[in-house]
């Protein structure tokens, strides 16, 4: 087999990474079966969960955080921003971040990439032309189009037990599960571990006999609830996000919920548990979804968990840059731990480059380099476009070093690794 070297190597890697189908491990995307606020040929549902189109793209919470900075000089406050209609918010964001300023940030550049790859001119001064184009699309066709452009095969959802809107939809429609096999389900339940106090009245209102002390009876009831929702959703894994203050072992009710109800349920059904660690919610409550921040968390807690539950698969992403090296080293120690993604504030090319290099050097191909965390369908286009480029650059450099070390690099190798990193590792972890 031919040895590829020099510029040909970089090109071959870019091509292989660009063409590998993606299994997106974590998103907040939905299908039209969950309702959608807009689109041709559907009943509009203002509380629908499937977000797509220009107004949703522009009112993404990453961009809300940015417009609150740009607009502060002319008196824009979070209260004032949130008092506007969605259309007005999008108009304001377009004007402040794209017309009156150069869209230099990663989240802004993402909108430009997305519009361009949809065949639209990203240089419009108003949103009229974009709105007209999106209004002509049907949500189903748009899903097909976006998955095709982005090269994404599977879009793993986040199905949150504590989201009342989504919960009602699952209870009302048993066929939701069969809606679209490209969108696997995930059972998410942060509050069981992070906020037991407020989880109790919610669970009670749903008919579970739980108490603040988390009595043995309450543990059984949490188990019963998890069993019911696992049966209803048939999730590919269970998930929660945790604050930087989270510690394991711990003595509080949340820690007991984890060890006595959640992990036994995962074990029983062979479900991996994903932990997203390092988010401090609502550091600036007025900014709402744009008001969460990052804090360095405790990797030793992850190690303890992996050691105490050696048969449980843990998929872990951490939000702070400071935790990345220790997490990768910990994964060398525990085969049941797989690091995934460059989450949220880390989803920037400079940080993806650094983190992916470190993981590749420490773990070889045994990690999941990226997930998109998309909330709006079309974001798949830019998140994967930008991430693929960053991953290809890192992988290309590593092959060049391997070639220098004396190993011929072949197309077969490159294709195998690209496929593994973008798809295969997720598929095999979720089907084990
Ligand atoms: O907890 C999570 O799943 C976070 O990813 C989100 O809630 C967060 O708001 C986000 O969109 C980050 O990208
Ligand atoms: Zn998320």
């Amino acid at each position: 087999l031919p040895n590829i070297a020099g510029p040909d190597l970089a090109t071959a890697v870019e091509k292989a990474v660009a063409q590998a189908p993606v299994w997106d491990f974590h998103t907040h995307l939905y299908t039209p079966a969950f309702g959608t606020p807009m689109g041709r040929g559907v009943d509009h549902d203002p509380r629908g969960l499937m977000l797509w189109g220009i107004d949703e793209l522009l009112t993404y919470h990453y961009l809300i955080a940015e417009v609150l900075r740009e607009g502060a000089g002319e008196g824009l406050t979070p209260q004032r921003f949130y008092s506007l209609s969605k259309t007005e918010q999008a108009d304001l964001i377009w004007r402040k971040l794209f017309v009156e300023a150069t869209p230099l940030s990663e989240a802004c550049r993402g909108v430009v990439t997305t519009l361009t790859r949809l065949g639209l001119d990203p240089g419009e001064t108003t949103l009229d032309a974009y709105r007209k184009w999106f209004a002509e699309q049907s949500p189903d066709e748009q899903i097909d189009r976006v998955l095709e452009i982005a090269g994404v095969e599977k879009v793993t959802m986040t199905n949150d037990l504590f989201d009342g809107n989504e919960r009602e939809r699952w209870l009302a429609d048993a066929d939701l599960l069969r809606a679209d096999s490209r969108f696997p389900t995930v059972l998410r339940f942060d509050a069981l571990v992070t906020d037991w106090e407020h989880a109790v009245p919610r669970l009670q209102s749903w008919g579970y006999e739980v108490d603040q002390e988390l009595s043995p009876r309450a543990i059984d009831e949490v188990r019963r609830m998890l069993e019911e929702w696992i049966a209803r959703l048939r999730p590919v894994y269970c998930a929660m996000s945790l604050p930087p203050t989270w510690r394991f072992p711990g003595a509080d009710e949340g820690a007991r919920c984890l060890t006595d109800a959640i992990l036994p349920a995962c074990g029983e059904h062979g479900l991996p548990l994903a932990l997203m660690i390092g988010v401090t919610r609502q550091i600036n409550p007025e900014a709402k979804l744009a008001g969460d921040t990052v804090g360095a968390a405790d990797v030793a807690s992850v190690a303890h968990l992996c050691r105490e539950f050696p048969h449980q698969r843990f998929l872990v992403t951490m939000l702070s840059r400071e935790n990345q090296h220790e997490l990768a080293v910990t994964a060398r120690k525990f085969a049941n731990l797989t690091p995934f993604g460059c989450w949220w504030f880390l989803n920037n090319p400079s940080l993806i480059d650094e983190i992916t290099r470190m993981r590749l050097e420490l773990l070889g191909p045994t990690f999941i380099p990226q997930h998109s965390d998309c909330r709006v369908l079309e974001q798949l286009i830019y998140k994967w476009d930008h991430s693929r480029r960053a991953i290809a650059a890192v992988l290309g450099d590593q092959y060049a070093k391997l070639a220098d070390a004396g190993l011929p690099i072949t197309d077969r190798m490159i294709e195998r690794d690209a496929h593994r990193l973008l798809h295969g590792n997720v598929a095999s972890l979720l089907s084990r």
Side-chain angles (χ1 to χ4, degrees):
L1 283 169
N3 174 23
I4 316 169
D8 287 350
L9 177 59
T11 310
V13 177
E14 278 160 27
K15 197 171 145 220
V17 173
Q19 287 177 352
V22 164
W23 183 321
D24 198 334
F25 182 74
H26 168 66
T27 77
H28 301 265
L29 297 178
Y30 294 89
T31 64
F34 292 82
T36 180
M38 61 158 269
R40 178 173 60 76
V42 292
D43 292 334
H44 292 202
D45 174 351
R47 296 179 73 227
L49 296 172
M50 180 199 164
L51 304 184
W52 63 289
I54 189 67
D55 289 276
E56 300 294 350
L57 280 170
L58 289 173
T59 54
Y60 187 33
H61 65 79
Y62 292 27
L63 293 174
I64 293 177
E66 294 176 25
V67 81
L68 291 175
R69 300 184 56 73
E70 278 286 10
E74 55 188 60
L76 182 67
T77 61
Q79 291 88 331
R80 164 107 189 82
F81 177 82
Y82 286 111
S83 73
L84 303 173
S85 68
K86 177 153 295 200
T87 320
E88 291 167 336
Q89 292 176 359
D91 286 332
L92 178 65
I93 289 177
W94 188 251
R95 178 167 66 78
K96 294 303 295 178
L97 300 182
F98 292 82
V99 180
E100 292 175 6
T102 310
L104 285 167
S105 74
E106 172 63 11
C108 282
R109 182 171 69 101
V111 175
V112 174
T113 299
T114 303
L115 292 173
T116 302
R117 295 206 52 198
L118 283 169
L120 300 164
D121 171 1
E124 301 278 353
T125 53
T126 72
L127 299 178
D128 297 345
Y130 307 133
R131 286 193 177 123
K132 182 167 178 296
W133 185 83
F134 279 100
E136 285 161 3
Q137 314 308 318
S138 81
D140 285 300
E141 288 162 358
Q142 187 70 349
I143 290 182
D144 294 345
R145 176 185 292 116
V146 168
L147 295 195
E148 167 76 27
I149 296 173
V152 173
E153 214 166 73
K154 295 273 188 190
V155 182
T156 316
M157 296 190 280
T158 299
N159 307 100
D160 188 348
L161 258 177
F162 289 93
D163 178 332
N165 182 351
E166 180 167 352
R167 182 187 149 78
E168 282 163 31
R169 293 172 195 271
W170 282 106
L171 294 176
D173 181 2
D175 285 337
L176 260 192
L177 188 58
R178 281 175 287 280
D180 191 334
S181 64
R182 295 171 299 182
F183 288 68
T185 49
V186 166
L187 187 60
R188 170 98 171 232
F189 38 62
D190 298 2
L192 291 181
V193 173
T194 63
D195 191 9
W196 178 246
E197 186 190 339
H198 292 101
V200 168
R202 304 284 307 276
L203 267 61
Q204 287 171 339
S205 75
W206 301 332
Y208 302 102
E209 287 179 40
V210 295
D211 46 45
Q212 290 293 344
E213 300 69 44
L214 195 63
S215 62
R217 165 87 181 138
I219 292 278
D220 288 346
E221 285 290 271
V222 173
R223 251 325 268 284
R224 179 166 74 88
M225 177 179 70
L226 293 174
E227 292 297 333
E228 286 173 9
W229 282 90
I230 288 170
R232 183 170 288 125
L233 262 64
R234 309 215 63 72
V236 287
Y237 63 87
C238 292
M240 44 191 181
S241 82
L242 300 164
T245 50
W246 175 76
R247 292 294 179 276
F248 184 87
D252 67 352
E253 289 76 19
R256 285 199 289 126
C257 237
L258 176 60
T259 52
D260 299 356
I262 294 167
L263 286 165
C266 289
E268 170 85 21
H269 296 275
L271 290 171
L273 182 63
L275 304 176
M276 310 180 64
I277 314 171
V279 53
T280 300
R281 302 280 177 198
Q282 300 296 281
I283 190 80
N284 182 354
E286 289 178 350
K288 300 191 182 174
L289 211 48
D292 296 343
T293 194
V294 55
D298 184 46
V299 184
S301 292
V302 176
H304 279 136
L305 200 55
C306 293
R307 194 175 59 210
E308 249 183 65
F309 295 89
H311 303 296
Q312 173 65 44
R313 277 163 290 149
F314 293 100
L315 289 118
V316 176
T317 197
M318 297 187 82
L319 195 50
S320 108
R321 182 190 188 183
E322 287 65 30
N323 286 140
Q324 300 309 318
H325 181 250
E326 200 179 342
L327 178 65
V329 172
T330 303
R332 291 178 64 86
K333 310 297 135 188
F334 295 97
N336 58 336
L337 169 61
T338 303
F340 75 90
C342 299
W343 180 23
W344 201 344
F345 312 113
L346 298 172
N347 193 349
N348 297 299
S350 63
L351 295 167
I352 298 172
D353 184 89
E354 169 182 304
I355 294 165
T356 308
R357 262 175 222 284
M358 189 182 344
R359 288 174 174 170
L360 203 56
E361 288 170 349
L362 282 163
L363 300 170
T366 65
F367 66 100
I368 298 166
Q370 191 55 309
H371 69 269
S372 74
D373 232 310
C374 290
R375 283 175 179 265
V376 182
L377 176 68
E378 293 83 4
Q379 290 170 340
L380 285 170
I381 296 174
Y382 93 78
K383 300 239 189 189
W384 283 108
D385 178 307
H386 295 187
S387 288
R388 282 184 208 262
R389 290 170 202 269
I391 294 165
V394 173
L395 197 56
D397 286 353
Q398 201 66 5
Y399 285 130
K401 290 176 195 160
L402 201 51
D404 280 348
L407 186 72
I409 306 298
T410 66
D411 274 325
R412 267 245 306 278
M413 255 177 206
I414 298 172
E415 269 158 37
R416 176 184 64 190
D417 297 336
H419 187 274
R420 225 187 130 163
L421 289 168
L422 296 186
H423 191 287
N425 286 347
V426 178
S428 64
L429 273 159
L430 299 188
S431 65
R432 221 180 266 170

